[in-house]
Amino acid sequence: MIAAIIDCGTNTFNLLIAEFEFNGEHRILLNTKKSVKLGEGGLAGNRIAQKPFERGYKAFLEFVDLAKKHKADTIQAFATSAIRSTINGPEFVKKILEKTGIIIQVLNGDTEAQYIFKGVNLAMEGITKPVLIMDIGGGSTEFIIASDNQVHWKKSFELGASRLLEAFKPSDPVSPEQVIALKEHLKEILGPLNSQMKKHQIETLIGCSGSFESLADMIRADQNQSETTGKLYTFNNDELKAMHRRLLASTEAERKNIPGLVEYRVDTIVFASIFIRYVKKRYKIENVHHSSYALKEGVLADMIARKIAI
């Protein structure tokens, strides 16, 4: 069976096309993404602005065409923070349905986190030791604590990189005072995570967002490392710290010239790096990895499991 999965995120729309068998084996046919920045200029007012709305609509139709070219038997679409939290999010869903006949499933934060766990679990071929999974989106950030192949706790926070950027409007480069203000905000909002981290002995952070991917790409380029084709990338702590300091001191113009950093993350990567650094230090986490599998792969894992169960 060939399945196409469209993940309508706040910053990027993602498309995964995969073929899977009844025995659970799967093969990725296409994995691509497109920058849409649905939250641009609108998250503060809880509305998708006209230009981002049209960008997202156009990207979705392009993904549908790609799915049809790959002869997909089914097209499953999901939406997260920007569409679920905005006044005209339902209008976007309706317009897609009228044009394509595809129903976009708008996920709540809890369901989104569950799919993210399933994706990471598929990448790691089973999570046994306790880990903290972190997915920084544009509108929200999901945290999951898991071990023994099961979720112990999960929660979605409205702490997406684009949402934070719009709320704090940092200078260029970001000032020390703004960094402190952001950390204080994180400390205030992440209270529920604090209490859960005290219950679990966690030494490993698994990041599965574009921000972690960009950090890995920048470090690889900086260190002349060959690009990995695996599902997991392990960060060297010294290299991660050095890249964080470089980003803090950088201007937007300078970041545009950093090898490995895609243009559509030039504006959000600094706050994302501050967020990651805060979590690593606050919870004394030693090991940091990037998982290339996340929500859409979690949907695939769920489809495989349900197919086997039928």
Side-chain angles (χ1 to χ4, degrees):
M1 182 176 186
I2 298 177
I5 300 163
I6 302 174
D7 168 15
C8 303
T10 300
N11 277 334
T12 58
F13 278 15
N14 301 274
L15 171 66
L16 176 72
I17 302 177
E19 183 176 20
F20 62 90
E21 307 293 340
F22 290 106
N23 62 5
E25 293 183 3
H26 69 280
R27 181 168 63 97
I28 305 298
L29 304 178
L30 178 67
N31 195 349
T32 188
K33 65 184 66 176
K34 197 170 186 67
S35 172
V36 295
K37 290 188 176 291
L38 280 186
E40 187 175 66
L43 284 181
N46 290 322
R47 174 175 289 276
I48 303 172
Q50 183 178 351
K51 286 185 178 179
F53 190 105
E54 292 303 321
R55 281 199 300 264
Y57 180 71
K58 182 180 177 182
F60 194 99
L61 297 186
E62 289 176 4
F63 282 175
V64 171
D65 287 342
L66 283 171
K68 290 178 178 178
K69 287 178 181 178
H70 281 79
K71 297 180 171 25
D73 298 297
T74 181
I75 301 175
Q76 302 288 320
F78 301 84
T80 55
S81 182
I83 291 177
R84 72 169 172 248
S85 65
T86 51
I87 297 169
N88 58 339
E91 181 185 336
F92 185 90
V93 173
K94 181 181 178 182
K95 188 172 181 180
I96 290 296
L97 176 61
E98 291 174 345
K99 179 67 176 179
T100 67
I102 297 170
I103 299 173
I104 298 177
Q105 299 180 50
V106 182
L107 303 177
N108 60 37
D110 190 70
T111 304
E112 181 180 358
Q114 185 67 31
Y115 276 132
I116 291 166
F117 162 73
K118 289 181 178 181
V120 175
N121 198 46
L122 186 63
M124 297 183 70
E125 297 179 350
I127 294 172
T128 54
K129 294 183 179 180
V131 299
L132 175 64
I133 300 168
M134 179 183 186
D135 190 318
I136 307 174
S140 66
T141 293
E142 283 64 49
F143 284 99
I144 304 108
I145 295 174
S147 68
D148 299 321
N149 297 322
Q150 62 180 322
V151 172
H152 300 299
W153 178 85
K154 60 185 183 295
K155 188 171 178 61
S156 177
F157 297 87
E158 289 199 341
L159 292 171
S162 295
R163 195 180 295 276
L164 291 173
L165 194 71
E166 196 165 304
F168 283 85
K169 295 179 174 57
S171 56
D172 187 30
V174 63
S175 71
E177 292 77 17
Q178 289 167 333
V179 174
I180 292 171
L182 174 58
K183 289 179 179 178
E184 287 299 316
H185 180 66
L186 296 176
K187 183 179 180 181
E188 179 183 355
I189 301 298
L190 292 177
L193 176 61
N194 296 343
S195 59
Q196 289 296 322
M197 289 296 284
K198 292 176 182 177
K199 297 179 182 179
H200 303 274
Q201 297 296 318
I202 295 177
E203 298 178 350
T204 299
L205 173 66
I206 308 291
C208 49
S209 67
S211 298
F212 281 93
E213 179 184 33
S214 288
L215 286 170
D217 289 344
M218 287 186 289
I219 290 171
R220 276 196 294 258
D222 192 54
Q223 300 295 321
N224 293 315
Q225 299 170 356
S226 58
E227 185 173 347
T228 180
T229 56
K231 301 169 188 174
L232 285 174
Y233 172 83
T234 299
F235 287 96
N236 174 284
N237 283 331
D238 290 337
E239 293 171 356
L240 188 60
K241 183 190 292 186
M243 183 55 68
H244 174 67
R245 289 175 174 171
R246 180 179 179 184
L247 289 171
L248 281 184
S250 68
T251 63
E252 182 175 337
E254 289 168 340
R255 290 194 296 278
K256 287 181 179 179
N257 294 316
I258 298 179
L261 180 59
V262 291
E263 185 176 356
Y264 58 84
R265 290 202 183 98
V266 165
D267 56 346
T268 59
I269 191 63
V270 175
F271 267 25
S273 184
I274 294 169
F275 198 172
I276 294 166
R277 186 69 183 165
Y278 173 84
V279 169
K280 187 179 187 305
K281 291 186 68 177
R282 174 69 177 80
Y283 304 115
K284 298 179 173 60
I285 293 174
E286 289 296 323
N287 310 307
V288 183
H289 307 275
H290 166 246
S291 167
S292 60
Y293 278 25
L295 188 147
K296 60 187 186 299
E297 288 80 11
V299 172
L300 174 64
D302 191 58
M303 293 177 70
I304 292 172
R306 285 189 285 110
K307 196 68 178 178
I308 293 171
I310 293 174

